[in-house]
Amino acid sequence: MKRLMVCILVITLLSGISQGVKASDNDVYTVGTSSLNIRNAPHINAPVIGSLQRGSVIQVDEKKYGWAKILYDGRTGWIASTYLYESSSNEAPETSYQKSNDGKIYVAGSHVRIRTGPGTDYKVIKIANQGDAYQVLDRKGQWVHIQVNSTQTGWIAGWLVSDSSQSRSSAVTRTSVSKSSSQTSNSLRGKNIVIDAGHGGIDPGTIGYNGSLEKNHTLATTSRLASLLKEKGANVILTRSSDRYLSLNRRVVISSSYNTDAFVSIHYNSSPAQLSHGVETYYYAGDADKSLAANILRNVTSQTGFQSNGVRFGDFYVLRENPKLAVLVELGYISNPSEESNIQSETYQIRAANGIVQGLSDYFSS
């Protein structure tokens, strides 16, 4: 008992040593998640004293242990710094829309979800397409309250709309022009593609027949994939570029923080049945997501020679909660000793990455 008390005392004294970083007057941040709890101490089990909504701008007094100290309602509060963006940072989701002269906004992205509330936690009630126009009712943080129809209202992400009808006319132009080989080869130029290497850090993902880790395979694939996409002129955003843990919510936040044209989550599969093999792609909702998944699957199986297991519905968080065009790719079974061996080769990694790039290219040129 005495030893336990001594250990507790030592830990308490050590935790009292300041390892925080005092913030300057310029440390202003934006909340990048739908709802961020404010606690009375920098600990996950500390009592919640309030919350901040996405888009809230706050002054941070100090940072330590992954927490940020703020002044809330006249008292000290602590929030998880993982969900904060510097207001001057390019990572912060920006709401650049303003009401147009007719009080409307126009959808600037493809397959944009309209929800019952201002955040990705709310239910999807409608899918909007590029050029669709809606009357603006209100605004909350990074979200716009709109009139969906004569009897229903909804919320749409502010970074996916424009105050100009230009997006509508450009959509019409795009559908009226026939596809050419030059369009196909340049279809990725200027596109913002978020590549998500599944798992990482303390989360190894699945473990292969010979002990290889999924998190290492996904990172290797995304590295090659990023290089190929950049060669095609795409703007590439990686959710992680090293072996580090990233929550599912954080991955979606990253996708939501950019004017993302497509989000692709990379994974490798596993099954108790060692003979399970092949590639499959997943989507959550909508014809656009399903079409992208089909294009990627066709090209990956063509490039790698692996069996196609089809395009499937997948109730995965990074798809379900993602307001952007999003798919998840399972590039083979590392529980199968034969596929695991192939997957670890440079040849397979290059072919798989080429297949994904071609799938994206085919989708955007169609």
Side-chain angles (χ1 to χ4, degrees):
M1 190 65 182
K2 287 183 178 179
R3 289 180 179 177
L4 177 61
M5 293 301 295
V6 170
C7 288
I8 294 173
L9 179 60
V10 170
I11 292 171
T12 303
L13 290 173
L14 288 175
S15 62
I17 300 174
S18 177
Q19 296 190 18
V21 177
K22 292 291 183 180
S24 68
D25 292 338
N26 296 323
D27 282 344
V28 177
Y29 293 83
T30 302
V31 175
T33 188
S34 56
S35 181
L36 182 60
N37 286 331
I38 306 171
R39 301 181 183 273
N40 69 0
H43 192 276
I44 191 65
N45 294 324
V48 175
I49 61 174
S51 66
L52 296 170
Q53 300 304 308
R54 184 191 298 275
S56 299
V57 179
I58 55 170
Q59 171 78 45
V60 172
D61 297 326
E62 182 183 358
K63 278 186 173 184
K64 65 178 181 179
Y65 313 120
W67 294 85
K69 180 181 177 182
I70 65 170
L71 185 64
Y72 174 74
D73 214 11
R75 59 190 293 197
T76 296
W78 294 87
I79 54 179
S81 59
T82 305
Y83 302 105
L84 300 181
Y85 300 96
E86 291 186 23
S87 288
S88 59
S89 169
N90 292 330
E91 288 188 335
E94 297 178 359
T95 304
S96 58
Y97 96 95
Q98 297 175 350
K99 284 187 181 181
S100 59
N101 292 334
D102 58 1
K104 294 181 178 180
I105 50 89
Y106 297 87
V107 179
S110 59
H111 192 67
V112 177
R113 294 166 173 83
I114 299 175
R115 299 178 181 270
T116 57
T120 56
D121 296 333
Y122 291 90
K123 180 182 177 182
V124 176
I125 58 175
K126 180 180 173 65
I127 301 297
N129 296 309
Q130 187 174 31
D132 290 350
Y134 296 97
Q135 192 72 34
V136 175
L137 302 176
D138 195 7
R139 171 186 172 187
K140 185 174 183 180
Q142 304 293 316
W143 292 79
V144 186
H145 194 196
I146 58 174
Q147 189 73 43
V148 178
N149 53 44
S150 59
T151 60
Q152 190 177 33
T153 66
W155 293 82
I156 192 168
W159 58 92
L160 295 176
V161 299
S162 168
D163 62 340
S164 168
S165 61
Q166 180 180 0
S167 60
R168 175 170 52 185
S169 62
S170 65
V172 173
T173 302
R174 219 175 16 251
T175 55
S176 63
V177 177
S178 60
K179 182 174 68 174
S180 67
S181 59
S182 62
Q183 284 178 308
T184 303
S185 61
N186 294 324
S187 61
L188 293 177
R189 186 166 300 280
K191 297 295 184 183
N192 296 326
I193 311 296
V194 176
I195 304 299
D196 174 43
H199 309 283
I202 59 173
D203 175 15
T206 61
I207 300 176
Y209 179 83
N210 291 306
S212 68
L213 303 180
E214 181 185 5
K215 68 173 184 176
N216 295 333
H217 297 313
T218 61
L219 192 59
T221 305
T222 55
S223 177
R224 296 185 186 281
L225 179 55
S227 297
L228 292 173
L229 286 169
K230 289 174 184 176
E231 289 176 7
K232 296 288 186 179
N235 303 313
V236 180
I237 302 101
L238 299 176
T239 58
R240 70 179 182 96
S241 58
S242 61
D243 183 20
R244 68 187 184 98
Y245 173 76
L246 210 62
S247 69
L248 298 178
N249 181 66
R250 176 64 175 153
R251 295 168 195 266
V252 173
V253 167
I254 292 172
S255 178
S256 302
S257 299
Y258 292 87
N259 187 23
T260 300
D261 292 296
F263 172 95
V264 182
S265 189
I266 306 298
H267 290 262
Y268 286 87
N269 222 331
S270 180
S271 170
Q274 291 180 10
L275 295 181
S276 296
H277 62 286
V279 176
E280 56 242 33
T281 56
Y282 292 86
Y283 71 99
Y284 179 71
D287 292 339
D289 297 61
K290 187 175 182 179
S291 175
L292 176 57
N295 276 284
I296 289 176
L297 179 66
R298 183 181 67 254
N299 282 281
V300 168
T301 53
S302 174
Q303 289 277 341
T304 63
F306 274 26
Q307 172 181 292
S308 171
N309 293 331
V311 176
R312 303 177 178 182
F313 166 80
D315 190 13
F316 299 113
Y317 187 97
V318 293
L319 302 184
R320 184 183 68 247
E321 303 301 324
N322 202 324
K324 311 295 180 130
L325 175 69
V327 298
L328 185 146
V329 186
E330 293 277 5
L331 290 169
Y333 283 76
I334 60 175
S335 54
N336 181 315
S338 176
E339 284 203 346
E340 181 187 26
S341 178
N342 284 325
I343 285 165
Q344 293 182 87
S345 70
E346 182 180 9
T347 299
Y348 180 84
Q349 292 287 329
I350 293 173
R351 287 178 176 176
N354 272 318
I356 295 171
V357 170
Q358 190 58 52
L360 285 162
S361 182
D362 287 354
Y363 171 83
F364 284 114
S365 62
S366 61

